[in-house]
Structures are given as structure tokens and as C-alpha cells.
Amino acid sequence: MPTPNKLARVRIQTARMLEIYSLLRDELGGANKIGMQSKERRRLQRAVDTIAANMAQLAAQLAAATETPSAVHQDGSVDYPGIGRVNPTEARELEEILDEVLKWHAELIHNEVGE
């Protein structure tokens, strides 16, 4: 079983990524309104894209673990690399959080491109 410490660290890191992502998105949205230089807007966008890429990578790692038969146990718990064994509820929670953020990011990008 994972130490509660490892899972807590993953949750904290995910929450931090979400918080920074949200702050950067807000800053980027405000940058468009106040006429920030395009160089600064690109820098903010790269930071947002980096966080989204990190979340996508984590989501891919979690998905890969659930697709590995030896990682999924009969009780539904999953062995995640670097985390350890996570119960089914926590595994779903982690995957759902990342999935929703990535969908949100894709929607924001789609809306920006469509404008």
C-alpha cells in the first residue's frame, strides 16, 4: 500500500499545478484586456502549456498503470509508479481531476483559436 505521504504529495502537487494554472490563465486573460506585450503573453502561454503538458503526462502514466494487468488488483486498487497501491476511489479521483483539467484546457484553447 502507498504511504499516505506519497498520495498526499501527489494530491498537493496536483492542487499546486491547478492553482498555478488558474492564476496564469487569469493573468493571460487580463493581459489581453490591458494590452500586454505579445512577448509577455507568449511567456505566460508557454507556462500554461507546460503545466497542461505535465498534467497530461501524469494522466498518461496513471492510465498506463490501469492498463497494466499486473498493476490492477482484484479489489480495484491500482499500483501507480512512484505512488504505490491506491484504492479504487482514490485512483478514480486522481484520474477524474486530471481528465477534467485537461478537458478544460482543451476547451480554453479551442475557444481562443475560434475567436
Side-chain angles (χ1 to χ4, degrees), residues 62-99:
L62 295 177
T66 60
E67 292 172 4
T68 304
S70 61
V72 180
H73 300 276
Q74 286 186 341
D75 65 358
S77 62
V78 181
D79 282 322
Y80 289 120
I83 300 171
R85 194 168 176 173
V86 177
N87 75 45
T89 303
E90 291 171 328
R92 254 188 323 280
E93 178 186 322
L94 284 172
E95 292 171 8
E96 287 172 2
I97 289 170
L98 290 168
D99 186 52

Side-chain angles (χ1 to χ4, degrees), residues 12-74:
I12 289 168
Q13 289 170 348
T14 303
R16 285 181 181 156
M17 280 193 291
L18 291 173
E19 182 178 9
I20 293 168
Y21 178 89
S22 295
L23 290 171
L24 287 170
R25 290 294 316 173
D26 289 345
E27 186 73 23
L28 193 56
N32 292 331
K33 292 176 186 167
I34 63 170
M36 183 182 281
Q37 293 180 358
S38 62
K39 180 180 177 181
E40 287 300 310
R41 282 197 309 270
R42 283 193 306 273
R43 187 176 63 81
L44 287 172
Q45 186 61 54
R46 277 195 306 272
V48 167
D49 293 341
T50 298
I51 292 170
N54 289 343
M55 288 188 285
Q57 183 180 20
L58 179 56
Q61 289 172 341
L62 295 177
T66 60
E67 292 172 4
T68 304
S70 61
V72 180
H73 300 276
Q74 286 186 341

